[in-house]
């Protein structure tokens, strides 16, 4: 105090500088704290919601539970496609720090992990982060118990039980029921394109145990069979270990609906049995309801191979075999119908007002610009319409067909269900076939847009451009046999217990019953007159009440070289054998079409197969069995049938009908 | 009046009157802040005193006693130990360089018997004391612009370089910033400050490229874009932000923070404890920490500015700067505003070394306040004879 102030100038200067600068320091700190508090408020108050979601995503994990796929049953409840348990081990890549270390650890308890390492690493790269990758599936119990004991110690490795699709009948239904397989990029694209595609569904589709229907019923009704995924809400820690399970958060999966088919496993198996090594197809329908009872395509393949992924070499064998086991011949393959088409031509002739009693003399050939030969070189002599069907006389149809014209023939064919895709059948890959007419050649045959009358001759006997598939042939036969309703084939009876209605959609056949009666008479005679083309092959041996009516067909395969010599000894140049039939003759119930690819001739090779299949169907039917075992004439209600026939005949056109025509 | 009573000769040197001069509001704020930390360590330990909260309580109580004792230490004693303390700390840093323990990839620890410690912690205090001692002797002109400023510059640069080499970027930065703060407070010429700032700006890319280690480079790159590698180096920041953000206004409740309880949050009881505070106690908890820290800082600055001695002013303000840097750097780090450098939240984070340093610093600050009327003589410095 007493000291001179000059001594303090320096001190005061230092003090002044300090005081000025401490304000700056305070200001900087204040600014810093203000900024931090502001940031805190921004994070916690403004963005709180966003981070709460992220936090919950950290804390809770939804483990998807895939739904069991619906079973596919035959009409009697036999399981065609079901599920079986499969033990497997998966790796969850988002919970694994180092994949190599984890796989090494796994390989101590599961040697398969070593051999499959490349596949596992490839799958891990392809799968999205949250999608588990399968290390090994279908483990035996010993392996599985060892893995499930130790897996919990390896983070990210999960052992669980999975449902795997199993086809109990092996190849019997491989085409019609189809198969499921791992989803591929194309399937995923198609699913994503659906408007009602959800994120939940996306997770299910990417789940490693999910299988998507690839062909047949499995594909057509995939949405119904698939079900809805459930979920397990679990609390996990940072290492992905499950800390707690939330029982409230458990959503049980909704199993897919069971689908009951119209198919009969016994008939299907019988059809396969009679086909043996032969390539072809058999389709049987109920003529009243349209139910498809059997639908085979041989040779077949084992769909179980496709469920876990078929090895490439095995697939190549199937794909390269000349009898085309992968093709569904029942719907996806078309053939010239040959003589089985003659009923169509005959109906067109009746439609054109030709008297069925008019006779044509068959001398074994017909000349129309060139020589058109009958299948029987010696000729049939004088035949009327019924006789022409019975003997399958080509000359009768050659002579008559241009009086009906190709357009009328095509129209008759369409009324009977040819050149048509059946929407109710559901399954993909149906081929439409072809009934050529004037419009068709005008539109599509640019080189030669005019229909030549000579072409009608080929078309009339089911050769030339005409193409039909076995399912169309069966429907065609069913409509002839039904006579009233234009039945359409379908495969699904019930989905998840609900009956499917198909029958109310059936239209009426726009062909007079009287005309159809003549055709049926012809078919009856094919099988039951001693000189019919398929008499021997059509004897069901089910007593005097039950008979079948049929029509043979032989479709020429382009197997003639330039010199006109057939290379018949080679399988793939042999003719196709066809046979269509229905039974019982008096009260038709079942219609059947059999196509034996390169089966030489319908009567010899297709008809016996048809007989065996038809026999089993008739024996299995309880009503018909009663008639087989019952008294001889008890069930034949001729009066009623004839009354129906004459009523419709008088109402429609004036065509003479012999009421006794089918009483033999 | 108390002041008049204290103005009696010898009265101020009595310990019972010194105790009345301790800023007890400051001490209460200290206890409150440390309590929040212990609460979170209790929660992080799974709602248990073990393994962290109990130890932290013991450490804190010991340190608090030390703080109060240090507050009563005469400033002349502080002045006297400055250079020896600085020299010993520097020698220990050199010793670490030569014989130090390598832990978690860094050579930071020194072991004496069963007791291991990080000499870099002592340096945080020593740098303040050393510089305050230097400026106590220096004139205002020297402090502003003089060749003598090479001395404090070297006093900062040598330990910074040694710590950087360990490598411990966080502590090195803390030492450098603290030293710089003391130099600025002592009255460094603005031109030099501006030049140093410009030099730092130029140095940053060079240091980034050539001086920093890979992991340090990664941390900074991660800071700039944390979402680039969410499970790798960006994990800390991302999880910390999730923890804080999900806390909301009032938090999830003590022990109920899913991020910290389920180990999504790394270092949940040490460097990233603020994320836990904000998750479990919400914005309210985070705000409380910053408010208490701010209160401590401003009270400390006030206490520094009332000192009659230049040494007292600079030592108290320098220590305050150290604490402020802890709070600001850690706060910015856990909120994703700064790269992850291993700097804990002083008083709140678990850890004895930091607690000891900071609490000793607070002892000094309180001591400066207690001895605010004390005039310290300027001894003739070694430079005086050159003048």
């Amino acid at each position: 105090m007493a000291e001179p102030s000059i001594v303090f100038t320096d001190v005061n200067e230092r003090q002044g500088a300090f005081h000025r600068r401490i304000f700056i320091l305070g200001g900087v700190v204040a600014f810093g704290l203000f900024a931090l508090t502001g940031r805190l408020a921004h994070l916690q108050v403004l963005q709180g919601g966003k981070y709460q979601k992220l936090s919950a995503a950290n804390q809770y994990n939804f483990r998807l539970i895939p739904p069991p796929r619906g079973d596919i049953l035959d009409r009697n409840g036999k399981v065609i496609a079901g599920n079986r348990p499969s033990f497997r081990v998966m790796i969850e890549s988002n919970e694994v720090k180092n994949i190599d270390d984890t796989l090494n650890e796994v390989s101590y308890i599961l040697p398969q992990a070593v051999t499959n390492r490349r596949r596992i690493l490839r799958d891990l790269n392809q799968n999205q982060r949250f999608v588990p990758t399968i290390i090994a599936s279908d483990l035996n119990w010993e392996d599985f118990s060892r893995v499930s004991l130790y897996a919990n110690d390896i983070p990210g490795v999960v052992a669980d039980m999975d449902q795997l699709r199993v086809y109990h009948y092996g190849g019997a239904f491989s085409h019609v029921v189809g198969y499921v397989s791992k989803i591929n990029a194309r399937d995923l694209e198609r699913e994503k394109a659906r408007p009602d595609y959800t994120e939940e569904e996306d997770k299910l589709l990417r789940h490693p145990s999910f299988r998507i229907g690839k062909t047949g019923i499995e594909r057509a009704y995939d949405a119904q069979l698939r079900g809805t995924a459930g979920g397990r809400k679990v609390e996990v820690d940072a290492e992905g270990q499950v800390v707690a399970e939330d029982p409230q958060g458990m959503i049980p999966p909704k199993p897919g609906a069971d689908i009951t088919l119209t198919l009969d496993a016994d008939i299907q198996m019988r059809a396969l049995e009679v086909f043996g090594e032969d390539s072809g197809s058999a389709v049987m329908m109920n003529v009243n309801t349209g139910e498809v009872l059997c639908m085979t395509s041989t040779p077949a393949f084992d769909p179980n191979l496709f469920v876990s992924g078929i090895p490439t070499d095995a697939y190549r064998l199937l794909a390269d075999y000349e009898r085309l086991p992968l093709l569904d011949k029942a719907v996806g393959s078309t053939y010239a119908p040959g003589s089985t088409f003659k009923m169509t031509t005959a109906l067109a002739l009746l439609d054109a007002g030709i008297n069925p009693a008019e006779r044509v003399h068959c001398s074994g050939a017909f000349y129309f610009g060139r020589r058109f030969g009958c299948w029987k070189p010696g000729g049939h002599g004088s035949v009327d319409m019924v006789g022409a069907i019975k003997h399958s006389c080509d000359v009768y149809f050659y002579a008559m067909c241009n009086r009906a014209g190709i357009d009328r023939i095509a129209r008759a064919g369409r009324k009977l269900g040819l050149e048509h895709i059946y929407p109710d059948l559901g399954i993909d890959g149906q081929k439409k076939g072809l009934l050529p007419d004037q419009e068709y050649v005008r539109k599509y045959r640019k080189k030669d847009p005019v229909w030549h009358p000579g072409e009608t001759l080929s078309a009339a006997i089911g050769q030339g451009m005409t193409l039909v598939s076995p399912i169309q042939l069966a429907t065609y036969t069913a409509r002839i046999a039904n006579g009233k309703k234009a039945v359409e084939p379908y495969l699904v009876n019930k989905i998840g217990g609900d009956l499917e209605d198909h029958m109310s959609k059936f239209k009426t056949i726009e062909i007079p019953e009287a005309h159809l009666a003549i055709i049926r008479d012809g078919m009856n005679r094919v099988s039951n007159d001693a000189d019919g083309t398929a008499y021997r092959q059509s004897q069901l041996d089910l007593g005097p009440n039950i008979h079948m009516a049929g029509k043979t067909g032989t479709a020429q395969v382009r197997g003639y070289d330039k010199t006109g010599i057939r290379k018949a000894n080679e399988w793939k140049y042999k003719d196709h054998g066809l046979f269509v039939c229905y039974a019982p003759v008096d009260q038709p119930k079942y219609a059947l079409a059999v196509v034996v690819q390169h089966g030489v001739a319908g009567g010899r090779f297709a008809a016996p197969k048809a007989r065996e299949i038809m026999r089993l169907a008739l024996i299995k039917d309880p009503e018909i069995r009663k008639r087989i075992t019952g008294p001889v004439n008890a069930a034949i209600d001729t009066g009623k049938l004839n009354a129906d026939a004459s009523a419709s005949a008088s109402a429609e056109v004036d065509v003479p009908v012999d009421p006794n025509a089918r009483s033999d | 009046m108390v002041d008049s009573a204290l103005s009696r000769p010898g009265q101020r040197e009595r310990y019972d009157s010194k105790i009345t001069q301790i800023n007890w509001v400051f001490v209460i704020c200290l206890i409150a802040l440390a309590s929040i930390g212990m609460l979170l360590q209790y929660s992080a330990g799974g709602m248990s005193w073990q393994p962290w909260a109990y130890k932290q309580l013991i450490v804190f109580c010991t340190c608090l006693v030390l703080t109060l004792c240090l507050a009563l230490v005469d400033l002349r004693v502080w002045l006297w130990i400055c250079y020896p303390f600085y020299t010993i700390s520097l020698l220990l840093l050199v010793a670490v360089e030569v014989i130090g323990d390598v832990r978690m990839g860094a050579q930071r620890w020194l072991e004496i018997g069963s007791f291991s410690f990080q000499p870099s912690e002592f340096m945080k205090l020593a740098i303040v004391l050393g510089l305050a001692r230097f400026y106590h002797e220096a004139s205002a002109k020297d402090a502003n612009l003089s060749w003598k400023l090479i001395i404090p510059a070297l006093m900062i640069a040598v330990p910074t370089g040694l710590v950087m080499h360990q490598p411990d970027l966080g502590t090195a930065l803390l030492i450098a910033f603290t030293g710089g703060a003391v130099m600025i407070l002592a009255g460094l010429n603005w031109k030099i400050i501006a030049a140093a700032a410009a030099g730092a700006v130029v140095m940053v890319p060079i240091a980034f490229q050539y001086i920093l280690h890979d992991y340090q480079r990664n941390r900074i790159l991660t800071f700039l874009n944390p979402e680039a590698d969410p499970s790798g180096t960006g994990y800390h920041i991302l999880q910390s932000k999730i923890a804080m953000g999900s806390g909301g206004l009032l938090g999830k409740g003590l022990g109920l923070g899913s991020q910290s309880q389920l180990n999504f949050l790394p270092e949940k009881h040490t460097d990233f404890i603020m994320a836990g505070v904000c998750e479990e106690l919400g914005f309210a908890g985070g705000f409380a920490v910053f408010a208490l820290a701010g209160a401590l800082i401003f009270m400390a600055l006030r206490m520094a500015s009332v000192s009659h001695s230049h040494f007292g002013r600079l030592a108290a303000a320098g220590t305050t700067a150290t604490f402020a840097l802890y709070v600001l750097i850690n706060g910015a780090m856990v909120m994703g505003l700064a790269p992850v450098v291993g700097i804990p939240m002083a008083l709140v984070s678990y850890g004895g070394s930091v607690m000891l340093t900071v609490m000793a610093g607070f002892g000094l600050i309180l001591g400066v306040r207690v001895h605010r009327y004390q005039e310290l003589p300027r001894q003739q410095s070694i430079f005086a004879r050159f003048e």
Side-chain angles (χ1 to χ4, degrees), chain A residues 539-573:
Chain A
Q539 295 312 304
L540 290 167
D541 197 19
L542 292 176
N545 294 339
I546 307 296
H547 296 284
M548 77 177 194
K551 180 73 194 83
T552 58
T554 303
Q556 284 168 3
V557 171
R558 231 180 284 164
Y560 302 92
D561 62 13
K562 281 189 182 131
T563 54
I565 297 164
R566 199 187 290 192
K567 293 185 268 179
N569 45 351
E570 245 184 279
W571 177 77
K572 62 177 173 177
Y573 294 124

Coordinates of all heavy atoms in Angstrom, one line a residue, chain A residues 539-573:
Chain A
Q539 N -62.1 -105.1 -73.9 CA -62.9 -105.9 -73.1 C -62.5 -105.8 -71.6 O -61.5 -106.2 -71.2 CB -62.9 -107.4 -73.5 CG -63.4 -107.6 -74.9 CD -64.8 -106.9 -75.1 OE1 -65.7 -107.2 -74.4 NE2 -64.9 -106.0 -76.1
L540 N -63.4 -105.1 -70.8 CA -63.1 -104.8 -69.4 C -63.2 -106.1 -68.5 O -62.6 -106.1 -67.5 CB -64.1 -103.8 -68.9 CG -63.9 -102.4 -69.5 CD1 -65.0 -101.5 -69.1 CD2 -62.6 -101.8 -69.0
D541 N -64.0 -107.0 -69.0 CA -64.2 -108.2 -68.2 C -64.8 -107.9 -66.8 O -64.4 -108.4 -65.8 CB -62.9 -109.0 -68.0 CG -63.1 -110.4 -67.6 OD1 -64.2 -110.9 -67.8 OD2 -62.1 -111.0 -67.0
L542 N -65.8 -107.0 -66.9 CA -66.5 -106.6 -65.6 C -67.9 -107.0 -65.7 O -68.8 -106.3 -65.2 CB -66.3 -105.1 -65.4 CG -64.9 -104.6 -65.1 CD1 -64.9 -103.1 -65.0 CD2 -64.4 -105.2 -63.8
G543 N -68.2 -108.1 -66.3 CA -69.6 -108.5 -66.3 C -70.3 -107.9 -67.5 O -69.8 -107.1 -68.2
P544 N -71.6 -108.3 -67.7 CA -72.3 -107.9 -68.8 C -72.8 -106.5 -68.8 O -73.3 -105.9 -69.8 CB -73.5 -108.9 -68.8 CG -73.6 -109.3 -67.4 CD -72.3 -109.3 -66.8
N545 N -72.8 -105.8 -67.6 CA -73.4 -104.5 -67.5 C -72.5 -103.4 -67.9 O -72.9 -102.3 -68.3 CB -73.9 -104.3 -66.0 CG -75.0 -105.2 -65.7 OD1 -75.7 -105.7 -66.6 ND2 -75.2 -105.4 -64.4
I546 N -71.2 -103.6 -67.7 CA -70.2 -102.5 -67.8 C -69.3 -102.7 -69.0 O -68.6 -103.7 -69.1 CB -69.3 -102.5 -66.5 CG1 -70.2 -102.4 -65.2 CG2 -68.4 -101.3 -66.5 CD1 -71.1 -101.2 -65.1
H547 N -69.5 -101.8 -69.9 CA -68.6 -101.8 -71.1 C -68.0 -100.4 -71.3 O -68.5 -99.4 -70.7 CB -69.4 -102.2 -72.3 CG -70.0 -103.5 -72.2 ND1 -69.2 -104.7 -72.5 CD2 -71.2 -104.0 -71.9 CE1 -70.0 -105.7 -72.3 NE2 -71.2 -105.4 -72.0
M548 N -67.0 -100.4 -72.1 CA -66.5 -99.1 -72.4 C -66.5 -98.8 -73.9 O -66.6 -99.8 -74.7 CB -65.1 -98.9 -71.9 CG -63.9 -99.5 -72.6 SD -62.4 -99.0 -71.8 CE -61.2 -99.5 -73.1
A549 N -66.6 -97.5 -74.3 CA -66.6 -97.2 -75.7 C -65.4 -96.4 -75.9 O -64.9 -95.6 -75.1 CB -67.9 -96.3 -76.0
G550 N -64.8 -96.6 -77.1 CA -63.5 -95.9 -77.3 C -63.3 -95.6 -78.8 O -64.1 -95.8 -79.6
K551 N -62.1 -95.0 -79.0 CA -61.7 -94.8 -80.4 C -60.2 -94.8 -80.5 O -59.6 -94.2 -79.6 CB -62.3 -93.4 -80.9 CG -61.9 -93.0 -82.3 CD -62.7 -93.9 -83.3 CE -62.1 -93.8 -84.7 NZ -61.0 -94.7 -84.9
T552 N -59.7 -95.5 -81.4 CA -58.3 -95.6 -81.6 C -57.8 -94.5 -82.4 O -58.5 -93.8 -83.1 CB -57.9 -97.0 -82.2 OG1 -58.6 -97.0 -83.5 CG2 -58.3 -98.1 -81.4
G553 N -56.5 -94.3 -82.4 CA -55.9 -93.3 -83.3 C -54.4 -93.6 -83.4 O -53.8 -94.1 -82.5
T554 N -53.9 -93.4 -84.6 CA -52.5 -93.5 -84.9 C -52.1 -92.2 -85.6 O -52.6 -91.9 -86.6 CB -52.2 -94.7 -85.7 OG1 -52.8 -95.9 -85.1 CG2 -50.7 -94.9 -85.9
A555 N -51.2 -91.5 -84.9 CA -50.8 -90.3 -85.5 C -49.4 -90.5 -86.2 O -48.5 -90.9 -85.5 CB -50.7 -89.2 -84.4
Q556 N -49.4 -90.1 -87.4 CA -48.1 -90.3 -88.2 C -47.1 -89.3 -87.7 O -47.4 -88.1 -87.5 CB -48.3 -90.2 -89.7 CG -49.0 -91.4 -90.2 CD -49.5 -91.2 -91.6 OE1 -49.3 -90.1 -92.2 NE2 -50.2 -92.2 -92.2
V557 N -45.9 -89.8 -87.5 CA -44.8 -88.9 -87.1 C -44.1 -88.6 -88.4 O -43.9 -89.5 -89.2 CB -43.9 -89.6 -86.1 CG1 -42.7 -88.7 -85.8 CG2 -44.7 -89.7 -84.8
R558 N -43.6 -87.4 -88.6 CA -42.9 -87.1 -89.8 C -41.6 -88.0 -89.9 O -40.6 -87.6 -89.4 CB -42.5 -85.6 -89.8 CG -42.9 -84.9 -91.1 CD -42.4 -83.5 -91.0 NE -43.3 -82.7 -90.2 CZ -43.0 -81.5 -89.8 NH1 -41.9 -81.0 -90.0 NH2 -43.9 -80.9 -89.0
G559 N -41.8 -89.2 -90.4 CA -40.7 -90.1 -90.4 C -40.5 -90.7 -91.8 O -39.9 -91.7 -91.9
Y560 N -41.0 -90.0 -92.8 CA -40.8 -90.5 -94.1 C -39.6 -89.7 -94.7 O -39.6 -88.4 -94.7 CB -42.0 -90.2 -95.0 CG -43.2 -90.9 -94.4 CD1 -44.1 -90.3 -93.5 CD2 -43.5 -92.3 -94.7 CE1 -45.2 -90.9 -93.0 CE2 -44.6 -92.9 -94.2 CZ -45.4 -92.2 -93.3 OH -46.5 -92.8 -92.8
D561 N -38.7 -90.3 -95.3 CA -37.6 -89.6 -95.9 C -38.1 -89.3 -97.4 O -39.2 -89.6 -97.7 CB -36.3 -90.3 -95.9 CG -36.3 -91.7 -96.6 OD1 -37.3 -91.9 -97.3 OD2 -35.4 -92.5 -96.3
K562 N -37.2 -88.8 -98.2 CA -37.6 -88.3 -99.5 C -38.1 -89.5 -100.4 O -39.0 -89.3 -101.3 CB -36.5 -87.5 -100.2 CG -36.5 -86.1 -99.6 CD -35.5 -85.3 -100.4 CE -35.5 -83.9 -99.8 NZ -34.1 -83.4 -99.5
T563 N -37.6 -90.6 -100.2 CA -38.0 -91.8 -101.0 C -39.3 -92.4 -100.5 O -39.8 -93.3 -101.0 CB -36.9 -92.8 -101.0 OG1 -36.5 -93.1 -99.7 CG2 -35.6 -92.3 -101.8
G564 N -39.8 -91.9 -99.4 CA -41.0 -92.3 -98.9 C -40.9 -93.6 -98.0 O -41.9 -94.2 -97.6
I565 N -39.7 -93.9 -97.7 CA -39.5 -95.1 -96.8 C -39.4 -94.7 -95.4 O -38.7 -93.8 -95.0 CB -38.2 -95.9 -97.3 CG1 -38.4 -96.4 -98.7 CG2 -38.0 -97.1 -96.3 CD1 -37.1 -96.8 -99.3
R566 N -40.2 -95.4 -94.6 CA -40.3 -95.0 -93.2 C -39.1 -95.6 -92.4 O -38.8 -96.7 -92.5 CB -41.6 -95.5 -92.6 CG -42.0 -94.8 -91.4 CD -43.2 -95.4 -90.7 NE -44.4 -95.2 -91.5 CZ -45.5 -95.5 -91.0 NH1 -45.7 -96.0 -89.9 NH2 -46.6 -95.3 -91.8
K567 N -38.5 -94.7 -91.6 CA -37.4 -95.2 -90.7 C -38.0 -95.7 -89.4 O -37.9 -95.1 -88.4 CB -36.4 -94.1 -90.5 CG -35.7 -93.7 -91.7 CD -34.6 -92.6 -91.4 CE -35.2 -91.2 -91.5 NZ -34.2 -90.2 -91.2
A568 N -38.8 -96.7 -89.6 CA -39.7 -97.1 -88.4 C -38.9 -97.8 -87.3 O -39.4 -97.9 -86.2 CB -40.7 -98.1 -88.9
N569 N -37.7 -98.3 -87.6 CA -37.0 -99.0 -86.6 C -36.4 -98.1 -85.5 O -36.1 -98.5 -84.4 CB -35.9 -99.9 -87.2 CG -35.1 -99.1 -88.2 OD1 -35.5 -98.0 -88.6 ND2 -34.0 -99.7 -88.6
E570 N -36.4 -96.8 -85.8 CA -35.9 -95.9 -84.8 C -37.0 -95.4 -83.9 O -38.1 -95.0 -84.5 CB -35.2 -94.7 -85.5 CG -33.7 -94.6 -85.2 CD -33.1 -93.4 -85.8 OE1 -32.8 -93.4 -87.0 OE2 -32.9 -92.4 -85.0
W571 N -36.8 -95.4 -82.6 CA -38.0 -95.1 -81.7 C -38.6 -93.8 -82.0 O -39.8 -93.6 -82.1 CB -37.5 -95.1 -80.3 CG -38.5 -94.7 -79.3 CD1 -39.5 -95.5 -78.8 CD2 -38.7 -93.5 -78.7 NE1 -40.3 -94.9 -78.0 CE2 -39.8 -93.6 -77.8 CE3 -38.0 -92.3 -78.7 CZ2 -40.3 -92.5 -77.1 CZ3 -38.5 -91.2 -77.9 CH2 -39.6 -91.4 -77.1
K572 N -37.8 -92.8 -82.3 CA -38.3 -91.4 -82.4 C -39.0 -91.2 -83.7 O -39.7 -90.2 -83.9 CB -37.3 -90.4 -82.1 CG -36.1 -90.3 -83.1 CD -35.2 -89.2 -82.7 CE -34.0 -89.2 -83.5 NZ -33.1 -88.1 -83.2
Y573 N -39.0 -92.2 -84.6 CA -39.7 -92.0 -85.9 C -41.0 -92.8 -85.9 O -41.7 -92.8 -86.9 CB -38.8 -92.3 -87.1 CG -37.7 -91.3 -87.2 CD1 -36.3 -91.8 -87.2 CD2 -37.9 -90.0 -87.3 CE1 -35.3 -90.9 -87.3 CE2 -36.9 -89.1 -87.4 CZ -35.6 -89.5 -87.4 OH -34.6 -88.6 -87.5

